[in-house]
Amino acid sequence: MMRNFEVAAPPKIDFVDGPGAKPMLIGGEWVAAKSCRTFTTINPANGETIAEIAAADSEDVDLAVAAARRAFEESTWRDLNPHARSQVLLDMAEAIEAHAEELAQLESLDGGIPISITRGMVASTALTFRYYSGWPTKILGTVNPVSDSVHCYSVREALGVCAGIVPWNGPLVMASWKIAPALATGNTVILKPAEQTSLTALRFAEILGECDLPPGVMNVVTGLGERAGTAIAAHPDIDKVSFTGSTETGKKILGASVGNLKRVTLELGGKSPHIVLADADIELAARNAASGFCAMSGQVCVAGTRILVQDSVHDEFAEALIKAMSAYQIGDPFDDGTTLGPVVSKQQFDRVTGYVTTGQDEGGRIASGGEPVNSRGYFVEPTLFEGVNNGMRIAREEIFGPVAALIPFSDVDEAVRIANDTPYGLAAAVATRDVSSAHTLARRLRAGVVWINTHGELDLTFPFGGFKQSGHGRELGAQSLDAFTELKSVMIRL
């Protein structure tokens, strides 16, 4: 049965209502693109235009890199007393908190994410800056044990100009994962937000004017990936690119990096398995599995879209999962009761609904969902397939929408074989009451993150990243600092 609804007019946000196209921040100045080109950002809940935004080309990227390089070489930020640098990061966290509701509203407006979720995402963004504010005073060197005739020590130093390219499914919090550790270690930054969701990055850059950050240390370049993103990836004077997005784009960025052998951190796609053993708490496992592919409208790289269920509990679990899916309320992102908003764009809507058709063409059966939603926005009903094997496209390709497949298995060895039979390796989940099974499966699964009896939980101390074609390098935790520093050894003959 088709769902019918209309969303209300979004709240008035002064930043959006300002005149003209939104400019970029380069070298402490707000500037239009040199070409004067702009692009349109769309409200995915109703398909209407929100604003025009400056569309950068390679010339604009050159200016941003030059500004960031000057700021780095002048060393005002790099050589700032670590205690003072910590205070600036704390000030940034407090500035985010002071504008939390506005940033959450912008995120919901631009990306269609329910306001109940974006409020949490903004709080997490502030917490990220608080966490990394503690690190400038703790990036320590070592004195190395060598001959008495020499003094040898090693230190970590800032890399230089670091670019962050972030996706549209968590624009502000993903940006903080790149900006905060880069600044904590004394680097300068160029942020390239996704063209679908650039507003929070621009407003955040405005808010940074309240903090004591020297001009050029933080720059925001907006534009299309094929122009601005490509120019950043290949730029010979950028020392590092940290990218979150699709595996296909990640490969292009890695290829472009060879020009100057810039450092690259990649957090890419996934096709995560969620294994439900016969001894699991079925109700809890169903709620976790539903969250694993319904939350954020399935637009999550770790989404558990391959749900592997042991034969003996398959039917019981399927019934519980369908019930858990029904708790997700599709609706207006600004309604506090909404738990599932639209996908981000018409292009993404067509992609996701295309996979629903593909799944049926391949012989899959829709157990729940799959019905159209009659709205001007890009809403997709959570959809669960049965009758799926791991060779089907809906089991192998990242859909990035609220679509999942139930895949049966007989024993643990078969579950592991199916789970690892994928080019991806970002995350996995296991539902079991048996501690031994939990630890054994966690060791055997080829994934950077394994959740046991939960799904999607992260912590700032928790290194995050993937195996295989889900990327390389890690974000969050102390380990991320290594990716933003160079190790230098010094030997002095006494």
Side-chain angles (χ1 to χ4, degrees):
M1 184 176 71
M2 182 178 290
R3 300 189 189 209
N4 293 275
F5 68 88
E6 290 291 331
V7 299
K12 179 179 173 61
I13 305 172
D14 290 342
F15 178 72
V16 171
D17 294 336
K22 302 300 175 191
M24 302 175 286
L25 179 65
I26 296 178
E29 301 291 332
W30 290 96
V31 298
K34 285 294 183 181
S35 67
C36 295
R37 276 196 286 261
T38 64
F39 64 95
T40 303
T41 186
I42 300 293
N43 179 350
N46 60 19
E48 295 178 359
T49 296
I50 302 171
E52 293 292 319
I53 299 174
D57 287 319
S58 58
E59 186 178 5
D60 304 290
V61 171
D62 287 343
L63 293 173
V65 174
R69 179 60 62 188
R70 283 194 303 273
F72 183 76
E73 296 299 339
E74 289 168 359
S75 72
T76 304
W77 177 252
R78 179 182 55 178
D79 293 341
L80 186 66
N81 182 292
H83 295 283
R85 199 184 313 144
S86 290
Q87 186 58 56
V88 174
L89 288 166
L90 281 173
D91 291 344
M92 293 170 74
E94 291 177 0
I96 293 166
E97 290 167 344
H99 297 273
E101 184 63 16
E102 179 192 4
L103 290 169
Q105 289 180 354
L106 278 173
E107 205 82 301
S108 292
L109 179 67
D110 214 10
I113 306 169
I115 190 71
S116 59
I117 296 176
T118 58
R119 286 171 179 149
M121 295 169 79
V122 172
S124 180
T125 301
L127 189 61
T128 301
F129 281 94
R130 287 190 182 280
Y131 172 77
Y132 282 104
S133 73
W135 277 108
T137 57
K138 300 171 186 66
I139 302 171
L140 307 176
T142 59
V143 175
N144 304 320
V146 292
S147 167
D148 289 344
S149 62
V150 297
H151 176 55
C152 183
Y153 62 93
S154 298
V155 292
R156 284 204 168 272
E157 296 182 354
L159 273 172
V161 177
C162 298
I165 303 176
V166 298
W168 41 257
N169 61 325
L172 193 57
V173 72
M174 291 290 101
S176 72
W177 289 12
K178 303 177 189 311
I179 298 168
L183 294 182
T185 47
N187 297 285
T188 56
V189 174
I190 299 167
L191 177 67
K192 160 64 176 74
E195 55 262 34
Q196 297 90 342
T197 53
S198 296
L199 293 179
T200 47
L202 293 170
R203 181 64 183 122
F204 173 60
E206 273 192 355
I207 291 168
L208 289 186
E210 303 172 13
C211 307
D212 192 18
L213 202 63
V217 171
M218 175 71 191
N219 306 272
V220 178
V221 174
T222 52
L224 306 183
E226 59 265 29
R227 289 179 176 272
T230 297
I232 287 171
H235 203 286
D237 203 28
I238 290 178
D239 300 295
K240 175 183 172 60
V241 171
S242 179
F243 170 76
T244 299
S246 72
T247 295
E248 179 183 358
T249 303
K251 290 178 180 179
K252 293 177 181 178
I253 288 172
L254 189 60
S257 73
V258 300
N260 68 336
L261 293 179
K262 60 171 62 66
R263 307 296 189 269
V264 178
T265 300
L266 301 172
E267 193 264 279
L268 307 177
K271 193 68 182 175
S272 301
H274 196 139
I275 299 173
V276 181
L277 298 181
D279 71 330
D281 179 329
I282 296 299
E283 297 297 325
L284 174 62
R287 290 195 300 272
N288 287 335
S291 173
F293 77 94
C294 293
M296 293 280 293
S297 298
Q299 299 172 119
V300 185
C301 51
V302 297
T305 53
R306 292 186 298 146
I307 305 173
L308 283 53
V309 186
Q310 199 152 19
D311 290 332
S312 59
V313 295
H314 180 280
D315 292 348
E316 179 187 0
F317 176 80
E319 182 179 349
L321 178 56
I322 291 169
K323 179 181 177 182
M325 290 168 59
S326 69
Y328 283 82
Q329 180 65 46
I330 296 178
D332 186 338
F334 289 99
D335 185 330
D336 286 331
T338 294
T339 51
L340 197 147
V343 295
V344 75
S345 66
K346 179 63 164 58
Q347 179 183 19
Q348 190 64 17
F349 175 85
D350 291 342
R351 174 185 172 87
V352 175
T353 54
Y355 271 107
V356 173
T357 300
T358 296
Q360 295 175 87
D361 291 344
E362 290 182 312
R365 301 184 306 276
I366 294 179
S368 180
E371 296 293 335
V373 178
N374 187 20
S375 169
R376 290 182 298 155
Y378 311 129
F379 293 87
V380 179
E381 187 177 40
T383 302
L384 179 67
F385 276 92
E386 291 185 305
V388 175
N389 64 64
N390 204 51
M392 294 180 177
R393 285 183 61 195
I394 58 170
R396 300 204 67 78
E397 299 176 11
E398 186 175 38
I399 298 172
F400 230 62
V403 180
L406 281 178
I407 302 175
F409 68 88
S410 58
D411 57 36
V412 170
D413 288 340
E414 184 183 15
V416 171
R417 179 184 61 77
I418 295 171
N420 288 337
D421 180 19
T422 173
Y424 300 108
L426 188 57
V430 177
T432 179
R433 287 187 172 99
D434 185 84
V435 174
S436 178
S437 295
H439 285 293
T440 300
L441 280 167
R443 186 178 68 250
R444 295 180 67 185
L445 292 170
R446 297 287 296 161
V449 177
V450 179
W451 289 292
I452 310 294
N453 296 326
T454 185
H455 195 282
E457 291 189 62
L458 296 175
D459 189 272
L460 292 169
T461 64
F462 187 98
F464 178 71
F467 289 14
K468 297 188 280 187
Q469 292 188 40
S470 288
H472 59 72
R474 293 294 181 268
E475 294 189 298
L476 303 183
Q479 291 81 358
S480 67
L481 299 169
D482 291 347
F484 288 97
T485 55
E486 290 276 26
L487 187 63
K488 176 185 288 183
S489 293
V490 178
M491 181 173 284
I492 303 172
R493 178 65 61 180
L494 301 178

